[in-house]
Amino acid sequence: MTSKTFIYILLTDTGTLFTKSIKKYTKAPYNHASIAFDAHLTEMYSFGRKNPNNPINGGFVKEDIHTGTYSKYPETTCVIYKLEVTSRDVEKMRRVLNVFIKNQKRFLYNLIGVLGVSLNEPVEFSNSYFCSQFVAEMLHRSGIKLWDKLPALVTPDDFRKNPHLQLVYEGKLTDYPLIKK
C-alpha cells in the first residue's frame, strides 16, 4: 500500500521590475512558481535567478528563503498550496529532480518560452525551462496530470486556479508561520 503525503506549490510576487512587467501583462497576482517537498519550504526548487543580485543569469535553482532571492525582497507576497500525492509519486519526482540537480549547470532559463505562453505557442528547448514549466514538468514526468496542456504552456496562475490544490497560506512570505527564522 502506498501512503499519502503532500508536496507544496509556492507562488510568489517579489515586486521586481521583471515580475511587474509580467504582472502587467498577465493580470495575475503571482508570477513565480516553485515546488517544495516539505511544509517548511526548506527543500524548494524552481527556475529563476541563480544569483539574487543578477536578474540576467537564470536557471535551475534550489531556493532558500533566508539567503536566496527572497531574502533580497522581504516584501514578497505568496500563496502556498498543497497537493496530496502518494509516496510513490514523491519517489518519481525525486528521481526527476535528481536529473536536474546532477546537471544543474547545463540548464538555462527559458525566457523565450515565457513569451511563447503569451502567444499560446509552446517554446521548448532542451535543458531550458521557466519556473511554472519546470514545476508542471516535474509533476507531468511523475505521472501527475493536472491539466490538458503541455508543461510549456502552464503559468503560475494555472496552479492558483487548479481545483486539486488545497490552499495552505496566503500573505507575506516572511509571515508564513512554518518558516524557521
Side-chain angles (χ1 to χ4, degrees), residues 12-23 29-32 49 69-70 72-78:
T12 55
D13 177 15
T14 57
T16 64
L17 183 61
F18 181 63
T19 60
K20 282 179 184 172
S21 302
I22 292 173
K23 197 173 185 175
Y30 305 101
N31 41 52
H32 181 70
R49 292 179 184 207
T69 300
Y70 295 123
K72 186 175 165 102
Y73 300 99
E75 297 302 310
T76 295
T77 56
C78 74

Side-chain angles (χ1 to χ4, degrees), residues 39-107:
H40 297 278
L41 309 179
T42 55
E43 191 181 0
M44 186 166 61
Y45 303 91
S46 189
F47 267 68
R49 292 179 184 207
K50 288 187 176 187
N51 178 332
N53 297 315
N54 183 350
I56 306 301
N57 183 18
F60 175 74
V61 288
K62 181 177 192 292
E63 295 181 317
D64 187 312
I65 291 166
H66 304 293
T67 62
T69 300
Y70 295 123
S71 68
K72 186 175 165 102
Y73 300 99
E75 297 302 310
T76 295
T77 56
C78 74
V79 63
I80 301 167
Y81 296 98
K82 65 181 179 179
L83 176 66
E84 188 174 332
V85 295
T86 66
S87 53
R88 180 79 175 115
D89 293 331
V90 173
E91 283 176 37
K92 290 182 208 171
M93 279 185 252
R94 289 202 176 277
R95 262 190 257 132
V96 172
L97 181 63
N98 282 333
V99 172
F100 283 94
I101 291 170
K102 287 177 183 171
N103 300 291
Q104 60 188 317
K105 289 185 179 4
R106 293 180 38 206
F107 289 103

Side-chain angles (χ1 to χ4, degrees), residues 1 16 21 31 34 41 44 68 93 126-127 153 162 170 179:
M1 179 168 161
T16 64
S21 302
N31 41 52
S34 310
L41 309 179
M44 186 166 61
M93 279 185 252
S126 179
N127 298 336
L153 290 175
N162 192 289
E170 186 166 19
I179 292 177

